[in-house]
Amino acid sequence: MKLKWERFLMVEVQSESVEELEGVEAGAKPTTSLYRRRSPLSSPQYQIERLAAVDLSHTPHHGDFAKTLASQGIRSFRPARLEIFQINVGKLCNMTCRHCHVDAGPDRVQENMDRDTVDACLRALDQTEAHTVDLTGGAPELNPHFRYLVEECVARGKHVIDRCNLTVLLLPRMHDLPEWFAERGVEIVCSLPHYRKFNTDAQRGDGTFEKSIEALRRLNAVGYGNGDPQRRLTLMSNPAGAFLTGNQAKMEQEWKAGLEKNHGVRFDRLIALNNMPISRFLEWLEQSGNLQRYMEVLVNAYNPATVAGLMCRNTLSVSWDGRLFDCDFNQMLDLECQPPGQRPHIRDFDLKLLAQREIVTGSHCFGCTAGAGSSCGGAIDA
């Protein structure tokens, strides 16, 4: 069954030309995935070891996140009510961005959610009162069951979010997606590092910005970005270097003015996320000599006001193979959630047991609690 699945995905991938599949990277110096390069950092355990090796003894609580929480009186870090069901449908992507915490790319063909696991997600969703289904990847649109999953979630009255890299909408077989999304009221959360060409291309490859603008125009043409809550267009930005994201509200004003004036593009809101010190961004931090300094920045910028709004408290993250995690970042570090006496897999979903779990934390969690905070919904302490 697995072999048949892999062959199907290979046919899907081969149906696009190399230029189409790799999107903006044709003609640029393409980044390849850690997995493809057989980098030691492709191992989640190795990433954890590298973070643990950073000397944070001179920072508050020695850079220990659990001790930092305990200093606030939080000795048992547990989830709140489940509101968001986040599903990572795979690591296949038409891009290989330099900051990607998923290590996604055109070569990640095998890690894609199959139909049985999609259906298990839907059965689990039916046991919850979660109001939102957050679909991510890779490029989630490349999963062959993506449209089926969206349709089923919409039929259940859920608010559906598609985390889109924008350039995927320019692939020939995706040409109808903007209108298809609009008809179903799907919120599009688009990754765009900056509203200027240089900053975006530096992070995502030459040509990315122009293709992203074209995709945004297509979304505007079907009603996205005009204030319609049923056609909400959100842009998501990550810093281009080893520093925290800027003020989200001010950035939104600046971006709206810049994109409208220079490109005639509109969007509804901006969310700004700190880069997490994992995967390909961790590789960049090491290669540029910024790892020590960046971890110090994150620890020293810890903001206790962000803790209540962290995504790990109201979100459950499901991996492409159905395993369960407290958040998307824990998923990439292979830190499975730990419900008492239960195997953490979507097939064995038990909401009551999951509500009793302790949230798994590590030094990477300072990335979500630094400054104004950084969660899937953007700044926390805005």
Side-chain angles (χ1 to χ4, degrees):
M1 185 69 181
K2 183 179 180 182
L3 181 61
K4 181 179 179 182
W5 164 249
E6 291 174 359
R7 283 175 178 169
F8 174 75
L9 278 172
M10 286 303 296
V11 170
E12 287 288 290
V13 170
Q14 292 169 359
S15 69
E16 309 292 351
S17 69
V18 173
E19 181 177 357
E20 289 168 339
L21 184 63
E22 296 197 352
V24 301
E25 292 182 342
K29 292 182 179 179
T31 301
T32 53
S33 69
L34 300 171
Y35 172 83
R36 185 173 183 176
R37 287 183 273 126
R38 299 184 180 179
S39 166
L41 283 171
S42 65
S43 162
Q45 182 58 41
Y46 185 80
Q47 293 181 52
I48 293 172
E49 292 170 0
R50 289 299 301 124
L51 292 177
V54 177
D55 181 12
L56 298 173
S57 59
H58 53 291
T59 61
H61 310 290
H62 304 288
D64 186 308
F65 192 77
K67 289 181 179 178
T68 302
L69 289 180
S71 71
Q72 287 182 246
I74 305 173
R75 301 186 181 279
S76 181
F77 192 38
R78 297 185 180 277
R81 184 172 68 90
L82 179 60
E83 298 180 67
I84 301 172
F85 215 80
Q86 186 176 69
I87 306 174
N88 187 310
V89 297
K91 298 186 178 182
L92 181 64
C93 190
N94 63 308
M95 300 181 69
T96 321
C97 300
R98 291 169 176 81
H99 69 297
C100 181
H101 72 278
V102 180
D103 194 32
D107 57 300
R108 307 307 299 267
V109 176
Q110 297 184 15
E111 299 98 333
N112 268 276
M113 186 174 285
D114 59 27
R115 176 62 177 268
D116 288 343
T117 307
V118 168
D119 285 333
C121 287
L122 292 170
R123 290 194 297 271
L125 179 63
D126 290 340
Q127 299 177 47
T128 77
E129 296 181 352
H131 52 69
T132 297
V133 178
D134 187 345
L135 302 180
T136 184
E141 304 87 353
L142 292 178
N143 184 291
H145 309 296
F146 173 76
R147 298 197 192 210
Y148 164 75
L149 178 56
V150 171
E151 292 276 22
E152 288 296 317
C153 292
V154 170
R156 286 165 167 77
K158 305 300 182 183
H159 175 62
V160 177
I161 293 173
D162 174 48
R163 295 193 179 262
C164 180
N165 68 22
L166 285 174
T167 65
V168 73
L169 300 180
L170 303 187
L171 296 178
R173 59 192 168 93
M174 303 292 174
H175 70 91
D176 66 319
L177 269 182
E179 185 173 3
W180 190 86
F181 283 141
E183 291 172 350
R184 289 154 184 80
V186 175
E187 178 180 356
I188 312 300
V189 177
C190 302
S191 177
L192 188 70
H194 203 268
Y195 70 93
R196 292 193 179 100
K197 181 179 186 296
F198 176 82
N199 303 67
T200 291
D201 285 0
Q203 189 177 112
R204 304 185 70 189
D206 294 343
T208 304
F209 184 76
E210 292 179 0
K211 292 195 174 187
S212 297
I213 292 297
E214 171 60 25
L216 287 170
R217 285 174 177 150
R218 294 188 185 187
L219 289 167
N220 282 170
V222 296
Y224 278 97
N226 293 318
D228 183 347
Q230 295 300 312
R231 299 184 180 187
R232 194 178 197 185
L233 179 59
T234 299
L235 298 190
M236 182 185 71
S237 169
N238 296 84
F243 46 86
L244 301 182
T245 188
N247 180 279
Q248 184 170 282
K250 291 182 178 179
M251 287 174 62
E252 181 176 305
Q253 293 177 355
E254 183 180 352
W255 283 47
K256 283 185 173 179
L259 287 174
E260 175 103 45
K261 178 181 178 180
N262 298 318
H263 305 285
V265 167
R266 303 173 304 281
F267 66 95
D268 294 307
R269 65 168 182 152
L270 176 78
I271 58 177
L273 278 66
N274 294 327
N275 283 312
M276 297 297 290
I278 63 177
S279 197
R280 290 207 289 265
F281 189 68
L282 174 56
E283 179 184 51
W284 179 85
L285 288 171
E286 287 195 321
Q287 291 177 345
S288 62
N290 279 297
L291 178 57
Q292 177 76 37
R293 185 178 68 83
Y294 188 63
M295 290 305 299
E296 291 172 357
V297 167
L298 295 183
V299 175
N300 289 324
Y302 174 77
N303 180 356
T306 64
V307 174
L310 291 174
M311 60 184 169
C312 56
R313 300 207 63 231
N314 72 345
T315 300
L316 187 68
S317 178
V318 188
S319 68
W320 66 271
D321 56 359
R323 292 182 296 150
L324 304 182
F325 299 83
D326 295 308
C327 72
D328 182 53
F329 303 121
N330 278 8
Q331 182 182 146
M332 299 311 139
L333 290 174
D334 213 21
L335 298 171
E336 294 182 339
C337 69
Q338 299 178 0
Q342 182 199 32
R343 179 187 175 199
H345 196 279
I346 197 67
R347 290 191 305 265
D348 311 306
F349 185 81
D350 188 321
L351 185 60
K352 290 183 178 179
L353 284 179
L354 285 167
Q356 299 172 32
R357 74 187 189 276
E358 289 268 356
I359 295 172
V360 179
T361 62
S363 60
H364 63 287
C365 298
F366 284 105
C368 288
T369 55
S374 176
S375 199
C376 281
I380 300 170
D381 186 28

